[in-house]
């Protein structure tokens, strides 16, 4: 039998319909990931992912909840005064510090200290990690920085806390792509926003934390941006004992436990290490109690 002539309409459908379906499916998932369709979804994609912490009676953290870093608390007490009574300093022509960099090993309580500053001053607290600015699409990171500072200015006086700022604040010229590196564009936007604070406005203070201050860009550390650097180091013996006393309030402590002896044995521990040690001890105690109950049930 002679071969049949191919149908032009069928050929058209076989070449056009599958790619069209594929494009529609991709568009559907793209809109879902952007938080909706159209312009609203595109705008929500560039919004900052910062979490807003508003101190209240239940969740408020104060300096009484932070121990082992007395020198850092003394330096941050002045920041609280700036937030509570900015007029006292601006009346005589003083400029309120724009930024404070908390430097110290992991687990020493840098985030807890920043929350305590917000709790003492009773102001809103925006918290975001430097890595949360990072995005695949060009320009999104800088847009998120602008959006974050805009929201903070609307709620001033307030605190912006950027954890692990070295993710976006590394020295420029060392990344992939030179000056066109997206991370460097984000840093440039951060520098611009910090320069944009006017002394007559209600204070917006930027607190940032890092354990690698040596990699930060020099423009970020100059006076007028991060005016102060506060060292948050591991606690000494007295500090470790005070930290243990704070964390054991939340658990049932056996009689005869000597916190002084435990603090001596925990030399070099940071605050997070001590909190984890107390929690592990509570878990072991609960496990031992469960084993005793199971053994008693078997005997009966």
């Amino acid at each position: 039998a002679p071969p049949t002539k191919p149908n032009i309409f069928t050929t058209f459908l076989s070449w056009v319909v599958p790619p069209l379906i594929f494009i529609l499916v991709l568009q559907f998932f793209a809109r879902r990931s952007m938080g909706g369709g159209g312009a609203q979804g595109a705008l929500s994609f560039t919004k900052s992912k910062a979490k807003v912490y508003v101190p209240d009676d239940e969740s408020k953290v104060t300096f009484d909840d932070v121990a082992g870093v007395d020198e850092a608390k003394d330096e941050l007490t002045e920041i609280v005064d700036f937030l509570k009574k900015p007029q006292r300093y601006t009346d005589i022509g003083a400029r309120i510090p724009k930024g404070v960099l908390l430097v110290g090993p992991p687990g020493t309580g840098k985030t807890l200290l920043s929350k305590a500053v917000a709790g003492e001053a009773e102001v809103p607290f925006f918290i975001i990690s430097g890595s949360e600015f990072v995005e695949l699409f060009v320009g999104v990171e800088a847009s998120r920085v602008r959006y974050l500072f805009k929201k903070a200015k609307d709620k001033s006086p307030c605190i912006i806390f950027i954890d692990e700022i070295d993710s976006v604040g590394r020295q420029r010229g060392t990344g992939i792509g030179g000056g066109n590196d997206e991370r460097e564009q984000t840093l440039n936007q951060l520098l611009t926003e910090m320069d944009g604070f006017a002394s007559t406005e209600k204070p917006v203070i930027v607190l940032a934390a890092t354990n690698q201050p040596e990699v930060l860009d020099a423009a970020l550390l100059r006076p007028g941006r991060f005016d102060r650097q506060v060292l948050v180091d591991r606690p000494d013996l007295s500090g470790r004992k005070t930290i243990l006393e704070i964390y054991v309030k939340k658990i049932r402590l056996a009689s005869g436990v000597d916190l002084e002896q435990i603090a001596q044995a925990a030399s070099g521990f940071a605050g997070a290490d001590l909190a984890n040690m107390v929690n592990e001890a509570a878990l072991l105690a609960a496990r031992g109690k469960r084993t005793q109950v199971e053994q008693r049930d078997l005997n009966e």
Side-chain angles (χ1 to χ4, degrees):
T4 58
K5 188 177 180 179
N7 190 327
I8 297 177
F9 181 72
T10 305
T11 305
F12 176 78
L13 289 179
S14 64
W15 280 94
V16 174
V17 173
L20 184 61
I21 294 175
F22 181 71
I23 292 172
L24 290 175
V25 170
L26 283 180
Q27 187 178 11
F28 171 74
F29 283 108
R31 288 186 175 184
R32 286 190 60 183
S33 66
M34 293 169 66
Q40 183 179 0
L43 289 174
S44 65
F45 192 60
T46 60
K47 287 183 179 179
S48 171
K49 297 180 180 179
K51 303 175 183 66
V52 184
Y53 162 78
V54 180
D56 54 31
D57 293 336
E58 294 183 0
S59 62
K60 184 166 72 172
V61 178
T62 65
F63 284 149
D64 293 335
D65 302 312
V66 184
V69 284
D70 295 335
E71 295 83 0
K73 285 200 297 186
D74 290 341
E75 294 192 52
L76 292 173
T77 300
E78 192 174 12
I79 303 299
V80 174
D81 201 34
F82 290 151
L83 290 166
K84 280 187 172 181
K85 304 170 184 176
Q87 198 71 21
R88 176 190 300 176
Y89 300 92
T90 55
D91 283 347
I92 62 173
R95 179 178 56 81
I96 296 174
K98 296 178 181 178
V100 179
L101 183 65
L102 305 178
V103 180
T108 50
K110 298 185 289 293
T111 305
L112 188 64
L113 261 176
S114 61
K115 280 190 176 183
V117 173
E120 291 284 346
E122 297 181 344
V123 297
F125 178 80
F126 292 80
I127 180 170
I128 189 170
S129 172
S131 61
E132 292 185 68
F133 288 119
V134 178
E135 191 56 62
L136 176 64
F137 301 98
V138 176
V140 171
E141 300 180 30
S143 298
R144 285 180 175 169
V145 173
R146 288 192 295 269
Y147 184 83
L148 171 61
F149 278 81
K150 180 180 180 300
K151 295 297 290 183
K153 290 175 183 177
D154 292 340
K155 289 183 175 292
S156 61
C158 66
I159 292 173
I160 299 175
F161 178 68
I162 306 175
D163 198 9
E164 305 297 342
I165 194 174
D166 48 272
S167 299
V168 293
R170 287 179 177 269
Q171 187 174 0
R172 286 170 288 184
T174 59
I176 300 174
N180 293 322
D181 185 8
E182 179 69 8
R183 176 184 55 80
E184 295 187 7
Q185 301 302 322
T186 307
L187 174 58
N188 291 336
Q189 186 64 46
L190 178 60
L191 298 176
T192 303
E193 292 293 340
M194 294 190 71
D195 282 341
F197 292 162
S199 59
T200 57
E201 294 178 352
K202 293 181 180 179
V204 177
I205 294 181
V206 181
L207 295 179
T210 182
N211 50 22
Q212 302 181 68
E214 66 279 357
V215 305
L216 296 179
D217 193 85
L220 195 63
L221 300 177
R222 74 157 174 82
R225 285 171 181 151
F226 282 100
D227 301 272
R228 300 187 178 190
Q229 294 188 29
V230 177
L231 177 63
V232 186
D233 209 349
R234 290 185 174 89
D236 55 12
L237 175 60
S238 175
R240 292 195 298 274
K241 182 181 178 182
T242 308
I243 293 172
L244 288 172
E245 289 173 349
I246 291 175
Y247 285 116
V248 297
K249 291 178 182 178
K250 303 175 183 179
I251 66 171
R252 293 172 57 186
L253 194 64
S255 59
V257 175
D258 189 353
L259 295 180
E260 178 80 24
Q261 185 178 4
I262 296 174
Q264 290 176 358
S267 178
F269 277 38
D273 299 324
L274 295 170
N276 184 64
M277 182 178 66
V278 171
N279 185 63
E280 288 294 329
L283 292 175
L284 287 172
R287 189 185 308 165
K289 183 177 181 181
R290 185 190 66 183
T291 304
Q292 290 178 358
V293 172
E294 290 175 351
Q295 186 64 37
R296 185 186 62 190
D297 293 341
L298 287 175
N299 294 336
E300 292 178 354

